[in-house]
Amino acid sequence: MDTDKNQIDVVVIGELNVDIILDGIESFPVIGKEILAKRMSVTLGSSSAIFANNLSSLGPKVSFIGKVGEDNFAQVVLSILESRNVDTSRIIRSSSLSTGATIVLNYNQDRANITYPGAMHDLHLEDVDFDYLSRAGHMHFSSCFLQPGIRSDLVVLFRHTKELGLTTSFDAQWDPEEKWDLPLEELLPFVDLFLPNMKEFKFLTHSNTVEEGINKLKSYSNKIVIKNGIDGSLAWDGKEIIRQPAFINDRVVDCVGAGDSFNAGFIKDFIDNKPIKKCLETGALAGAVNTTMAGGITAFQNIETIRKIALERFNYTL
Ligand SMILES: Nc1ncnc2c1ncn2[C@@H]1O[C@H](COP(=O)(O)OP(=O)(O)OP(=O)(O)O)[C@@H](O)[C@H]1O
Ligand SMILES: [Mg+2]
């Protein structure tokens, strides 16, 4: 059955994979030897999926366009998203591709990741149903450097989405090749919210400071929101820079997905037409809530549990 426009608040277009997290390993892996881990969890990975999951738990109606295989990892991805009420009906299942996976080795306070991108490599512009997209209010796209199949069509994707009347957001995320080659001047006019972290912003704009980067972009970009871990976040609203400190968490479990949770909190308020200062505050709160439990989605079960964490840990009424 067709859903009407008001029933989809946000369509997320992006990458889907699982995280296989190994904790309590005895030493760092050594070639030719075998070591043991004390714990393992298999959960939802990938920036776009964590964002969709957490935004849906915060309340908005969220739908996902992406690609997985027809394998067990696809079942993990789909069943978790469905359990959080994300509409997965537009996720393409390919019999010839494998769902991607990241093996996360947590060792001491640090971690090493190995990712097999899998089906996310093969998401293309032709996989996006623009009739369907036209029924949503907002489109979010993340992790362009991990998705070569659609990366070269980003300007077309965002331009067409704007022509359909949606608002848009874009989180480029890290470039594993560290080339930082994006057509910002063509792309950003169609991006309402550009959401990099501080390092990504400086590399993408070839700048040493926020002010230098904003000066380079401001003649053709809309709102720019920059995340900076425990140093907080800031937004350029077209006129001035607005700063938001991070909420203090004295018992951080890990920071996996904090940026995606920040995006979810920010965009929840943005699509509600809240002022940018309030969007930043809710983003920072969501980022902090993320750090109270392991992984990117554990703290985001549903709105009641998120409110409870916000109140008990950060004395904040959501
Ligand atoms: N340790 C922390 N304590 C409290 N808040 C945090 C912490 N880490 C992150 N946050 C909040 O979450 C926001 C986003 O985090 P961060 O700057 O790490 O994003 P990111 O680098 O894009 O992360 P990701 O690796 O998930 O993409 C921060 O601006 C801050 O408000
Ligand atoms: Mg990020």
Side-chain angles (χ1 to χ4, degrees):
M1 210 179 76
D2 273 4
T3 15
D4 60 45
K5 185 170 177 94
N6 296 333
Q7 284 182 276
I8 315 166
D9 294 316
V10 178
V11 172
V12 182
I13 303 176
E15 89 287 22
L16 293 161
N17 76 352
V18 294
D19 277 353
I20 302 165
I21 304 170
L22 300 178
D23 277 311
I25 56 178
E26 294 161 342
S27 67
F28 209 71
V30 181
I31 302 284
K33 294 190 179 179
E34 182 165 349
I35 54 164
L36 299 179
K38 290 202 172 63
R39 290 172 299 280
M40 179 183 81
S41 56
V42 180
T43 186
L44 189 66
S46 64
S47 169
S48 307
I50 292 170
F51 167 79
N53 185 93
N54 295 357
L55 181 61
S56 182
S57 293
L58 284 164
K61 292 260 178 288
V62 180
S63 181
F64 205 103
I65 297 176
K67 214 175 241 185
V68 290
E70 281 181 351
D71 45 26
N72 292 338
F73 285 163
Q75 287 312 315
V76 172
V77 167
L78 296 171
S79 64
I80 292 176
L81 288 175
E82 281 159 15
S83 75
R84 307 290 170 86
N85 295 319
V86 175
D87 179 356
T88 61
S89 63
R90 303 290 156 147
I91 295 177
I92 298 159
R93 285 86 161 161
S94 163
S95 57
S96 58
L97 299 168
S98 306
T99 307
T102 297
I103 298 173
V104 182
L105 303 177
N106 279 330
Y107 182 61
N108 285 338
Q109 297 300 309
D110 221 329
R111 64 178 195 261
N113 295 355
I114 307 175
T115 292
Y116 171 66
M120 71 171 78
H121 248 244
D122 284 84
L123 184 70
H124 299 281
L125 187 66
E126 303 81 74
D127 296 321
V128 177
D129 177 345
F130 282 99
D131 278 344
Y132 179 73
L133 197 59
S134 70
R135 291 185 235 148
H138 184 92
M139 187 276 282
H140 178 81
F141 184 92
S142 174
S143 310
C144 55
F145 300 110
L146 297 178
Q147 300 178 90
I150 199 163
R151 183 178 158 195
S152 51
D153 289 317
L154 274 188
V155 176
V156 181
L157 173 66
F158 273 88
R159 191 181 58 225
H160 202 42
T161 304
K162 286 303 296 173
E163 284 163 2
L164 294 172
L166 284 78
T167 52
T168 61
S169 49
F170 174 55
D171 187 340
Q173 296 282 18
W174 190 255
D175 177 6
E177 291 185 336
E178 299 194 34
K179 291 185 180 158
W180 303 104
D181 181 20
L182 271 186
L184 293 181
E185 198 162 349
E186 286 86 65
L187 181 62
L188 292 187
F190 307 111
V191 174
D192 294 301
L193 295 174
F194 178 39
L195 296 154
N197 73 18
M198 183 63 86
K199 274 191 189 158
E200 293 153 1
F201 178 75
K202 287 180 179 170
F203 282 124
L204 284 165
T205 59
H206 309 284
S207 303
N208 293 315
T209 65
V210 167
E211 289 75 12
E212 186 189 344
I214 288 173
N215 271 331
K216 286 184 187 168
L217 303 190
K218 69 181 182 191
S219 66
Y220 54 83
S221 73
N222 297 297
K223 292 179 174 57
I224 303 169
V225 182
I226 302 173
K227 296 157 276 181
N228 199 14
I230 51 169
D231 291 329
S233 53
L234 60 91
W236 164 256
D237 66 356
K239 289 197 203 93
E240 57 178 348
I241 292 175
I242 304 159
R243 293 180 193 272
Q244 169 68 45
F247 286 78
I248 293 165
N249 179 6
D250 48 14
R251 281 172 285 148
V252 172
V253 177
D254 70 48
C255 296
V256 176
D260 307 314
S261 297
F262 175 98
N263 292 349
F266 191 102
I267 287 166
K268 174 191 176 286
D269 277 0
F270 179 78
I271 61 175
D272 264 355
N273 295 314
K274 300 268 169 61
I276 292 300
K277 178 71 192 143
K278 178 73 174 55
C279 300
L280 279 171
E281 192 175 278
T282 308
L285 190 264
V289 165
N290 184 121
T291 65
T292 63
M293 291 192 189
I297 61 167
T298 318
F300 288 79
Q301 298 287 330
N302 55 53
I303 191 66
E304 285 76 34
T305 56
I306 300 165
R307 284 196 176 120
K308 191 163 181 280
I309 298 169
L311 194 59
E312 287 176 1
R313 295 292 295 274
F314 304 106
N315 197 21
Y316 189 91
T317 305
L318 188 65

